[in-house]
Amino acid sequence: ADAHAAPLPTARRWALAASVLLAGVLVTSFFALQPRDALATAIVAHMSEEPDAWAKTQPVPRSALELVLRRSGVRLDQVEAGDVVYANSCFLRGRYMPHLVVSTPNGPVTVIVLPGEAVPQRVEFQDGRYSGVLLPVPGGGGGIAVLARGGAGAGGTQDGPDVDAAAAAVLA
């Protein structure tokens, strides 16, 4: 008789099923505990859908900027329209979020306002050609993501924008 043809005893079948279930729970828990990484990944993936946003140089009229912000239920009191060269309401993670490109002395940065997203603390990230930071909005209500191309990241470099300075300007 072939030993491989015999059915597994009931106890072994239950143990195997429990092992598979446990592995699934562990994998799911691992990904659930990485929400900021998932958020950063979703934002970077979104950037590939709007490559022309980085190329804009003409300031967005104040009325157009206000319309984009109002559509998303967001108010930014201190953003100067002359610094914003691209403004769009983008559907990301189930809601409309303002996607702005802000001109800085060292190049453009993208600012995505994240109403309703849980961003409990500052998180820096690097993903492909983008680097950025996720920041909570003081007083709750979501966060912001600020991205630069070319790996400038937090603090910037002589070759790229300073995402911290851009974030501070938006959070002001």
Side-chain angles (χ1 to χ4, degrees):
D2 187 2
H4 298 296
L8 287 174
T10 302
R12 285 187 66 196
R13 276 189 264 163
W14 279 110
L16 180 61
S19 297
V20 170
L21 179 62
L22 180 61
V25 168
L26 289 174
V27 168
T28 302
S29 297
F30 175 77
F31 287 111
L33 293 174
Q34 304 297 323
R36 291 176 300 279
D37 292 342
L39 178 57
T41 299
I43 290 167
V44 170
H46 173 72
M47 298 309 298
S48 66
E49 297 171 11
E50 297 189 62
D52 294 338
W54 293 98
K56 305 290 184 187
T57 58
Q58 294 299 311
V60 170
R62 183 72 186 181
S63 59
L65 176 60
E66 288 173 357
L67 177 63
V68 166
L69 296 173
R70 192 171 43 250
R71 275 190 201 151
S72 304
V74 171
R75 192 184 84 226
L76 298 176
D77 295 331
Q78 301 298 322
V79 174
E80 294 295 325
D83 296 335
V84 178
V85 295
Y86 176 85
N88 196 10
S89 292
C90 298
F91 195 70
L92 183 67
R93 292 172 57 103
R95 42 179 95 80
Y96 283 98
M97 300 184 188
H99 173 177
L100 312 174
V101 175
V102 178
S103 179
T104 75
N106 293 322
V109 296
T110 287
V111 177
I112 299 181
V113 183
L114 308 166
E117 287 289 337
V119 183
Q121 64 186 18
R122 173 192 172 84
V123 176
E124 291 183 27
F125 62 91
Q126 180 81 36
D127 192 336
R129 62 189 283 203
Y130 300 103
S131 60
V133 63
L134 297 171
L135 295 169
V137 171
I144 64 168
V146 182
L147 291 87
R149 289 190 300 183
T157 67
Q158 63 275 16
D159 300 323
D162 180 347
V163 296
D164 282 331
V170 172
L171 289 174

